[in-house]
């Protein structure tokens, strides 16, 4: 919604008046105006998804942020945060409305006094603050870069909801007050906090006077007043330092602070279980310390444990402590009532319902006392959210989420069930249609569930632990036979996979070893899983483990892929107990590091293995020969692909199209198959800003579940393939998407140069000096491809040249049994786009090479001796002969024909010594030899940036 409409959207709740006729007209146009408390969950109509991936459900929540009570009358509705999304959860109907819009984890939230407006903020670069209407779930205002350096750590609404205060997370913190209903990008007031005040992470308005605020750190409380301050000026800040009372006071660090509802006082709860009461006078000067006579420390009669939550409601102070107890105090800090039988752990937050009931406090020794009862919602450090009926004193568990990192998730192959395990050893299986827990188990002896996998029949659930243990469970009960709890590795299990016939399963551990188990069947006995063998087949971490089926037999095959660039296949047929054999071990990359692999769907006559690397490339390898058959540009979303899965083909699909799901460091995406380098055939969005651990697909291809690791959440994403196809169609047909990847596009200078080089290669192939009639065609022979690639600024290795030529040569061999010996311009454009470096040649790569190979020069910059450079070129990697080295340097240094003849007569290396410096620094190599611009020249070419950039 446009910011210009914010005043309209505030309506009567914000106290903004306007003529009734104009109000009625706008009400008909605005969903926010017409929304009521029942609107959001009145009828959960299935809406048409307009995005390829839509967030459907959030499993888990951020335990450090509070849970707010939004509705408590006919329905129980609460608000909480999970990773970068806010969640409005209706416990009565077991449904969620998700507030999406942040690119970073939500760092703080607040709710207006009338529960109508919600504010969410995140922390990080390019942070945002968003204001939402809780009745309709619509965002009504977004503020960008309120605190551009680090984002927002705390915020609060004023009692009339017109103003919002934000507290930055910068090293030098800023406090800003915003009129969020106005069209302005600047705060009304602001101030800067001196680092001596400590790091503040809590701020509130005075409910009775919006010109007063307070914030606190662990050792100080700051009081702010806007009285007599003009708009845009700084606040006066009164510093309330930590007192030094008698040792018996046991003050400890400061917790939350609140304003007294009647007196000009601020009350601070402390970790020691006491209260500090400050007299705050309006005649304070800025930066004035509170004198000792202006505060005092109070110890409650029933000395509580560490106070972890503190708030005010209906002339009562309310505390929550580390034992899970909740206390209500009057203004003399005498206990009015307490809730000690809730069976909770440490309280994080207490929020009260808007609705209230009048009643009496009953005490066996005192007469009944009038009391205002409000139901309240409590959140705990273990992510539990409990609703408490204040009069009946009865708790109702709303959410029982786990506050531990989640790194394991797997979907049942035949049912709508998803299993997820965390680092506390808690395993849960959810029905993702009805959103209820089917079964759960807490492992007592094992912790840190690292990976999960169902077998293809759904008969077994394998669990891998950080200790190296593997348990085989019954998916219905989550119970296991003690004989099927294996511990053959001391290193954590990172991968588990089953064979397609469910007769084998294999694990890969942090010890760079693969362990295989097979299902032993005997007549008259139940099938038992038996250890077949373990093999340390890699010298760097294993990134993927995959079962498949041989082309000429139904026997399973097993492959592992490591960061050592080796693809290893195991000989399951000839392996015996405790003797796992290797069938082959192939190096499949030169410089790129493979990240993951999967079987390519049957889109051609050949069977391919798809491997994604850290250089944003996808390669198709022949499953039998392991030959690289095709190199393709993969999705480029800030970080390389970490895991890929081919989506199951839905029974309702109208065609036989295949799609690929993938995750990068923090994004989830979809790719239309076949992969061809078209950037418009993929789509991705942020799924877990702090990093996605793994993901899994539902058996019917409707949902993807991502595990967020440290953010303690699992997100369910609904797939809309029609939206994915529609977005891809907007990129154009045929070569249009590939032209867009060329600098300047189809009409640019680079494409014209490519055409000229292409036709020059025809002339060159027919001999430049020939006087015979030329045969012009639209193709060039494969032998000219390497020269054409180099002329365009792409410098492939000999292995990459061989891969390119094989890609074209065997492109039609499976269908026609004939080789392709030439290539046209259109096919070459695709070849060029897919094989060139995804982001060009970076100077950082050369710097890294010098740091690895060279020693420091007199300026402590990495440098190579001349003889070392020549030796490296001739002895490492793809070896160059002495003649090839001489030819390259002759061309690079622009030696004339006479110098070339002298070089031939005097020996290549001897001649090069006269033109190559003895010590070669990074600047010398790039500027003098390669002819690249120097760092000074590059800086001179950069456009001047204004202060606003």
């Amino acid at each position: 919604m446009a910011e210009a409409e914010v005043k309209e959207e505030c309506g009567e709740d914000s106290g903004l008046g306007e003529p009734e006729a104009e109000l009625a007209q706008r009400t008909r146009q605005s969903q926010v105006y017409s929304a009521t408390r029942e609107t959001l969950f009145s009828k959960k109509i299935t809406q048409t998804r307009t995005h390829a991936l839509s967030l459907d459900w959030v499993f888990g929540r951020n335990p450090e942020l509070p849970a707010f009570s939004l509705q408590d009358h006919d329905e129980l509705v609460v608000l909480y945060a999970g990773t970068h999304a806010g969640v409005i959860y209706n416990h009565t109907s077991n449904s969620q409305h998700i507030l999406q819009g942040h690119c970073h984890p939500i760092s703080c939230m607040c709710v207006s006094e009338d529960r109508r407006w919600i504010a969410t903020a995140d922390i990080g670069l390019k942070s945002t603050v968003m204001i939402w209407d809780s009745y309709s779930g619509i965002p009504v205002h977004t503020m960008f870069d309120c605190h551009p350096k680090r984002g927002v750590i705390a915020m609060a609404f004023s009692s009339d909801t017109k103003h919002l205060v934000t507290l930055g997370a910068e090293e030098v913190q800023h406090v800003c007050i915003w009129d969020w209903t106005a069209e302005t990008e600047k705060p009304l007031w602001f101030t800067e906090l001196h680092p001596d005040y400590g790091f503040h992470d809590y701020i509130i308005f005075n409910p009775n006077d919006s010109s007063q605020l307070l914030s606190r750190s662990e050792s100080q409380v700051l009081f702010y007043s806007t009285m007599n301050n003009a708009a845009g000026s700084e606040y006066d800040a009164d510093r309330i330092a930590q007192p030094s009372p008698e040792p018996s006071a046991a003050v400890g660090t400061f917790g939350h602070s609140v304003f007294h509802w009647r007196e000009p006082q601020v009350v601070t709860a402390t970790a020691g279980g006491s209260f500090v009461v400050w007299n705050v006078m309006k005649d304070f000067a800025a930066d004035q310390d509170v004198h000792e006579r202006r505060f005092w420390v109070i110890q409650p009669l029933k000395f509580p444990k560490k106070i972890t939550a503190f708030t005010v409601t209906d002339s009562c102070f309310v505390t929550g402590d580390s034992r899970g107890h909740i206390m209500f105090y009057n203004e003399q800090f005498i206990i009015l009532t307490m809730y000690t039988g809730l069976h909770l752990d440490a309280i994080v937050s207490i929020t009260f319902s808007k609705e209230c009931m009048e009643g009496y406090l009953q005490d066996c020794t005192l007469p009944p006392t009038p009391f205002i009862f409000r139901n309240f919602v409590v959140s705990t450090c273990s992510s539990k959210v409990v609703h408490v009926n204040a009069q009946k004193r009865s708790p109702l568990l709303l959410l029982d989420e786990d506050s531990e990192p989640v790194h394991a998730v797997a979907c049942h192959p035949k049912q709508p069930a998803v299993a997820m395990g965390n680092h506390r050893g808690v395993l849960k299986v959810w029905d993702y249609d009805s959103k209820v827990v089917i079964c759960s188990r807490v492992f007592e002896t094992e912790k840190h569930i690292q990976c999960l996998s169902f077998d293809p029949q759904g008969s077994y659930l394998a669990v891998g632990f950080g200790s190296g243990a593997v348990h085989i469970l019954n998916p219905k009960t989550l119970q296991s036979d003690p004989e099927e709890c294996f511990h053959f590795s001391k290193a954590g299990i990172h991968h588990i996979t089953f064979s397609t016939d469910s007769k084998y399963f294999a694990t890969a551990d942090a010890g760079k070893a693969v362990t295989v188990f097979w299902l032993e069947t005997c007549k008259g006995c139940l099938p038992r899983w038996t250890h077949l063998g373990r093999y340390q087949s890699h010298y760097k971490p294993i990134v993927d483990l995959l079962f498949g089926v041989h082309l000429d037999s139904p026997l399973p095959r097993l492959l592992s892929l490591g960061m050592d660039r080796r693809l290893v296949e195991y000989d399951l047929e000839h392996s015996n107990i405790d003797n796992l054999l290797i069938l082959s071990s192939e190096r499949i990359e030169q410089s790129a590091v493979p990240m993951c692999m999967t079987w390519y769907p049957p889109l051609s006559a050949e069977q391919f293995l798809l491997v994604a690397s850290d250089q944003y490339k996808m390669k198709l390898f022949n499953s039998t020969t392991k030959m690289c058959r095709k190199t393709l540009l993969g999705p480029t979303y800030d970080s390389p692909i970490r895991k890929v899965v081919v989506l199951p083909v839905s029974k309702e699909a109208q065609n036989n199209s295949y799609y690929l799901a993938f995750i990068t460091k923090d994004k989830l995406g979809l790719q239309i198959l076949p992969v061809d380098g078209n950037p418009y055939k993929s789509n991705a969005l942020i799924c877990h800003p702090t990093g996605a651990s793994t993901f899994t697909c539902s058996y019917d291809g409707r949902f993807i579940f991502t595990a967020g690791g440290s953010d303690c959440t699992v997100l369910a994403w609904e797939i809309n393939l029609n939206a994915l196809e529609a977005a891809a169609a907007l990129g154009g047909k045929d070569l249009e998407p590939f032209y867009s990847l060329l600098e300047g596009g189809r009409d640019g200078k680079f494409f014209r140069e490519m055409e000229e080089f292409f036709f020059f290669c025809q002339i060159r192939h027919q001999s430049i000096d020939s006087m015979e009639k030329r045969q012009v065609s639209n193709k060039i022979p494969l032998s000219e491809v390497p020269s054409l690639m180099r002329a365009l600024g792409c410098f492939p290795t000999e292995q990459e040249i061989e891969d390119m030529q094989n890609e074209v040569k065997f492109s039609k061999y499976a269908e026609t049994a004939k080789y392709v010996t030439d290539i046209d311009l259109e096919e070459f454009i695709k070849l060029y786009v897919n094989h060139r470096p995804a982001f060009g040649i970076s100077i950082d790569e050369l710097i890294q090479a010098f740091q690895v190979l060279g020693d420091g020069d007199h300026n402590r910059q990495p440098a190579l001796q001349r003889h070392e450079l020549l030796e490296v070129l001739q002895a490492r990697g793809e070896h160059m002969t002495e003649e090839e080295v001489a030819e390259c340097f002759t061309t690079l240094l622009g030696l004339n024909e006479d110098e070339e003849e002298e070089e031939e007569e005097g020996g290549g290396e001897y001649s090069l010594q006269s033109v190559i410096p003895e010590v070669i620094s990074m600047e010398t190599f790039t500027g003098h030899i390669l002819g690249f611009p120097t760092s000074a020249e590059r800086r001179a070419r950069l456009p001047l940036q204004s202060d606003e950039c």
Side-chain angles (χ1 to χ4, degrees):
M1 185 172 296
E3 296 184 6
E5 299 178 10
V6 174
K7 286 189 177 181
E8 304 174 14
E9 304 306 340
C10 292
E12 57 185 5
D13 291 290
S14 62
L16 302 178
E18 57 183 326
E20 294 183 3
E22 184 179 353
L23 175 63
Q25 175 66 23
R26 293 181 178 178
T27 300
R28 287 192 293 269
Q29 299 175 353
S30 170
Q31 296 183 46
V32 175
Y33 264 123
S34 59
T36 65
R37 297 181 59 179
E38 293 76 26
T39 299
L40 192 60
F41 296 103
S42 56
K43 291 181 180 179
K44 196 64 177 181
I45 302 173
T46 303
Q47 298 180 353
T48 302
R49 302 289 191 178
T50 56
H51 300 280
L53 291 165
S54 302
L55 187 53
D56 181 71
W57 195 268
V58 178
F59 299 90
R61 58 177 291 268
N62 185 343
E64 297 179 358
L65 296 184
F68 295 92
S69 173
L70 294 183
Q71 294 185 36
D72 191 70
H73 185 54
D74 297 324
E75 296 180 313
L76 293 180
V77 181
V78 295
L79 168 73
Y80 57 90
T83 184
H84 63 311
V87 180
I88 301 177
Y89 174 62
N90 187 322
H91 177 266
T92 307
S93 62
N94 191 27
S95 54
Q96 291 182 353
H97 180 84
I98 300 171
L99 308 178
Q100 284 183 268
H102 292 281
C103 295
H104 303 285
I106 290 179
S107 56
C108 55
M109 299 190 300
C110 63
V111 177
S112 64
E113 192 173 304
D114 60 3
R115 311 298 189 270
R116 177 70 191 263
W117 308 105
I118 297 168
T120 58
D122 58 47
I123 194 166
L125 297 176
K126 298 183 179 179
S127 64
T128 56
V129 175
M130 301 186 70
I131 315 295
W132 310 79
D133 172 32
S134 69
Y135 289 2
S136 63
I138 295 174
V140 296
H141 191 81
T142 301
M143 297 187 292
F144 298 97
D145 288 333
C146 299
H147 300 265
K149 292 184 179 179
R150 284 292 308 278
V152 181
I153 192 66
M155 61 182 176
F157 280 114
S158 60
S159 57
D160 59 6
T161 321
K162 288 184 178 180
H163 296 146
L164 179 73
V165 60
T166 59
L167 175 61
E170 314 94 335
E171 184 175 347
V172 178
Q173 293 181 276
H174 291 78
V175 176
C176 301
I177 291 186
W178 310 82
D179 181 358
W180 65 272
T181 65
E183 292 184 54
T184 178
E185 295 181 358
K186 294 184 178 180
L188 294 176
W189 292 276
F190 67 92
T191 190
E192 186 177 282
L193 304 187
H194 195 280
D196 290 346
Y197 293 165
F199 185 80
H200 288 239
D201 59 2
Y202 173 81
I203 193 165
I204 58 170
F205 279 97
N206 186 340
N208 300 318
D209 185 353
S210 294
S211 67
Q212 298 179 353
L213 303 93
L214 68 81
S215 67
R216 70 110 178 105
S217 66
E218 289 187 349
S219 60
Q220 300 198 27
V221 175
L222 291 182
F223 173 78
Y224 310 81
S225 174
T226 62
M227 295 296 292
N228 303 320
N229 279 20
S233 64
E234 293 192 5
Y235 271 110
D236 290 335
D238 299 330
R239 183 160 64 109
I240 303 176
Q242 185 175 21
S244 302
E246 296 297 325
S248 59
V251 172
T253 58
F254 286 166
H256 287 177
S257 299
V258 298
F259 284 96
H260 195 287
W261 53 88
R262 186 171 62 251
E263 302 294 336
Q265 295 175 345
V266 170
V267 182
T268 300
T270 71
S274 56
F275 301 96
V276 181
V277 182
W278 323 85
N279 266 335
V280 180
M281 306 302 293
K282 293 185 177 180
D283 58 351
F284 265 29
D287 295 323
Q288 177 181 344
D289 287 350
V290 176
H291 296 292
E292 192 169 332
R293 61 185 175 82
R294 303 283 289 276
F295 71 85
W296 60 94
V297 179
I298 296 176
Q299 288 182 268
L301 293 178
K302 285 195 173 182
F303 202 70
K305 295 291 184 181
K306 178 181 179 181
I307 296 177
T308 55
F310 186 39
T311 187
V312 169
T313 183
D314 301 312
S315 303
C316 292
F317 296 111
V318 185
T319 65
D321 61 32
S322 58
R323 299 171 299 178
H325 296 175
I326 297 171
M327 308 285 190
F328 284 71
Y329 298 88
N330 63 12
E331 58 184 327
Q332 287 80 37
F333 293 94
I334 298 173
I335 294 179
L336 297 175
T337 185
M338 65 179 70
Y339 295 80
T340 58
L342 302 179
H343 305 291
L344 301 175
D345 49 358
I347 306 295
V348 172
S349 69
I350 307 169
T351 60
F352 288 87
S353 168
K354 182 182 176 182
E355 296 83 7
C356 65
M357 298 155 285
E358 295 184 357
Y360 292 88
L361 288 175
Q362 300 293 334
D363 191 294
C364 59
T365 59
L366 297 174
T369 305
F371 191 78
I372 296 176
F373 289 92
R374 291 183 189 271
N375 297 341
F376 53 91
V377 170
V378 178
S379 66
T380 73
C381 64
S382 63
S383 272
K384 288 184 179 178
V385 178
V386 177
H387 174 271
V388 179
N389 186 306
Q391 278 190 310
K392 297 180 180 178
R393 312 179 75 82
S394 59
L396 174 64
L397 185 64
L398 303 183
L399 292 169
D400 187 11
E401 306 290 358
D402 296 302
S403 57
E404 296 291 328
V406 182
H407 290 282
V409 62
C411 278
H412 195 283
K414 297 182 178 180
Q415 299 173 6
V418 58
M420 52 191 77
N422 67 19
H423 270 202
R424 196 163 60 89
V426 178
L427 176 63
K428 292 182 179 180
V429 179
W430 287 77
D431 183 324
Y432 54 75
D433 282 343
S434 58
K435 308 299 188 300
V436 296
V437 177
I438 301 172
C439 53
S440 64
R441 178 179 174 181
V442 179
F443 290 89
E444 301 296 338
T445 58
E446 304 290 350
K447 305 295 181 182
H448 290 198
I449 298 176
Q450 298 279 71
C451 50
L452 298 168
S453 181
F454 287 92
D455 79 293
Q457 304 304 318
S459 303
Y460 303 99
L461 174 61
V463 185
F465 295 89
S467 64
V470 178
H471 289 206
I472 305 298
L473 311 181
N474 182 326
K476 296 180 180 179
T477 63
L478 299 186
Q479 298 305 309
S480 56
D481 190 313
E483 294 183 7
E484 294 185 330
C485 300
F486 306 102
H487 207 144
F488 289 93
S489 172
K490 293 182 180 179
I493 306 298
H494 288 171
H495 302 276
I496 295 183
T497 183
F498 281 87
S499 63
T500 54
D501 59 3
S502 298
K503 292 182 179 180
Y504 291 87
F505 83 87
T507 67
D509 57 54
K512 311 173 190 66
V514 170
T515 307
V516 179
F517 302 83
W518 67 291
L519 192 63
E520 185 179 11
T521 55
C522 301
K523 291 185 178 180
C525 300
L526 293 174
R528 291 281 181 186
W529 287 102
T530 304
H531 175 254
L532 184 62
R534 183 172 184 265
Y535 202 111
Q536 189 171 351
S537 48
H538 296 268
Y539 63 88
K540 286 189 177 181
I542 298 172
V543 296
D544 216 338
L545 192 63
L546 191 64
F547 271 104
V549 179
H550 286 281
L551 283 175
D552 53 355
S553 73
L555 294 177
R557 58 190 302 196
L558 175 64
L559 301 99
S560 63
L561 182 66
M563 295 185 73
D564 54 8
R565 304 178 178 88
R566 303 203 74 85
L567 178 64
V568 179
E569 183 166 3
Y570 302 84
D571 190 353
L572 299 180
E573 185 177 2
H574 298 101
S575 297
N576 298 314
I577 302 275
D578 296 328
N579 186 27
L580 181 62
L581 302 178
I582 298 293
L583 186 63
S584 65
S585 179
E586 307 279 348
R587 184 183 175 105
I588 61 171
E589 291 281 6
Q590 282 187 303
S591 59
V593 177
M595 305 297 289
C596 54
M597 63 179 174
T598 189
W599 293 109
Y600 201 63
L603 296 171
S604 66
E606 289 183 81
Q607 185 185 43
F608 291 126
L609 188 68
L610 183 146
V611 177
S613 73
D614 67 338
Q615 295 183 359
Y616 299 89
K617 300 293 184 181
M618 289 183 174
K619 290 189 176 182
L620 300 183
F621 293 88
N622 183 284
S623 64
T624 303
T625 64
K626 310 297 192 306
M627 176 192 289
C628 179
R629 287 281 291 99
K630 188 168 283 192
T631 300
L632 302 151
L633 177 65
T636 52
Y637 296 105
D638 295 336
S639 58
I641 290 176
R642 294 188 172 187
K643 182 178 180 179
V644 290
V645 171
V646 176
L647 291 180
V649 179
S650 173
K651 295 180 180 179
E652 301 176 357
Q654 299 177 357
N655 51 37
N656 293 325
S657 300
Y658 290 92
Y659 302 88
L660 197 72
F662 62 87
I663 56 170
T664 64
K665 179 182 177 181
D666 60 351
K667 295 178 178 65
L668 169 68
L670 296 174
Q671 169 79 48
I672 300 173
L673 297 180
V675 180
D676 57 7
N678 181 349
Y680 298 100
K681 291 175 69 173
S682 67
N683 188 295
L685 46 70
I686 295 174
C687 59
H688 297 275
T690 56
S693 295
T694 187
F695 77 101
T696 185
C697 300
S698 63
Y699 74 98
D700 54 5
R702 291 189 302 126
F703 294 100
I704 295 175
F705 298 87
T706 57
S710 60
D711 67 18
C712 309
T713 61
V714 172
L715 305 182
W717 303 86
E718 187 174 356
I719 300 171
N720 184 351
L721 298 177
N722 291 331
L724 180 66
E725 293 281 2
L730 295 175
K733 297 180 180 180
D734 302 324
L735 278 182
E736 289 181 22
F738 298 93
Y739 288 138
S740 67
L741 296 176
L742 300 178
E743 184 180 356
R746 176 67 175 80
D747 301 320
K749 178 181 177 182
F750 183 80
F751 179 76
R752 292 196 299 272
E753 289 180 349
M754 181 180 286
E755 280 186 315
E756 291 174 0
F757 283 135
F758 185 86
F759 291 111
F760 177 77
C761 284
Q762 287 188 1
I763 298 174
R764 181 173 179 269
H765 180 68
Q766 297 173 25
S767 179
I768 297 177
D769 299 328
S770 174
M771 300 300 293
E772 297 180 5
K773 185 177 180 181
R774 303 287 181 178
Q775 295 180 356
V776 180
S777 70
N778 62 347
K779 294 185 177 183
I780 60 173
L782 286 183
S783 59
E784 293 296 322
V785 168
S787 300
L788 183 53
M789 292 290 289
R790 293 178 180 126
L792 295 171
C794 179
F795 306 99
T797 65
E798 294 301 317
Q799 180 62 54
E800 290 169 340
I801 289 172
E802 184 179 344
D803 289 344
M804 273 189 278
Q805 291 178 332
N806 287 338
E807 180 175 326
V808 179
K809 183 178 179 180
F810 294 101
S811 58
K812 298 180 181 179
Y813 187 80
E815 293 81 9
T816 64
K818 295 181 180 179
Y819 297 128
V820 176
T821 58
D822 48 26
I823 185 173
D824 60 24
L825 180 59
E826 292 186 352
E827 288 299 320
F828 175 77
I829 290 174
K830 291 184 179 180
L831 192 73
Y832 170 77
V833 165
N834 284 311
H835 280 265
R836 69 177 179 179
F839 301 106
I841 299 176
S842 170
I843 194 72
D844 295 334
E845 297 178 42
L846 293 173
I847 293 174
Q848 184 181 7
F850 265 77
Q851 290 173 341
V852 172
L853 299 173
D855 299 321
D857 60 8
H858 63 281
N859 294 322
R860 295 185 178 180
Q861 296 297 320
L864 277 170
Q865 299 295 319
R866 179 175 55 212
H867 71 275
E868 290 178 336
L869 176 60
L870 297 177
E871 181 182 340
V872 164
L873 293 175
Q874 296 178 62
R876 295 198 185 183
E878 293 183 341
H879 303 173
M880 298 177 69
T881 65
E882 186 174 323
E883 292 74 16
E884 288 173 334
V885 172
E887 181 182 354
C888 286
F889 277 102
T890 298
T891 304
L892 287 169
L893 297 174
L895 301 180
N896 57 36
E897 293 182 1
D898 295 336
E899 289 172 320
E900 289 182 29
E901 291 176 1
E902 292 177 7
E903 180 183 319
E904 292 175 1
E905 295 174 2
E909 185 172 343
Y910 176 80
S911 178
L912 290 175
Q913 289 180 359
S914 62
V915 293
I916 301 177
E918 182 177 352
V919 178
I920 304 170
S921 67
M922 179 64 198
E923 289 286 340
T924 302
F925 185 73
T926 56
H928 176 65
I929 297 177
L930 297 182
F932 290 174
T934 64
S935 56
E937 291 172 337
R938 289 195 301 271
R939 285 193 297 269
R941 292 179 183 181
L942 292 175
L944 294 176
Q945 295 182 347
S946 65
D947 294 336
E948 297 178 353
C949 292

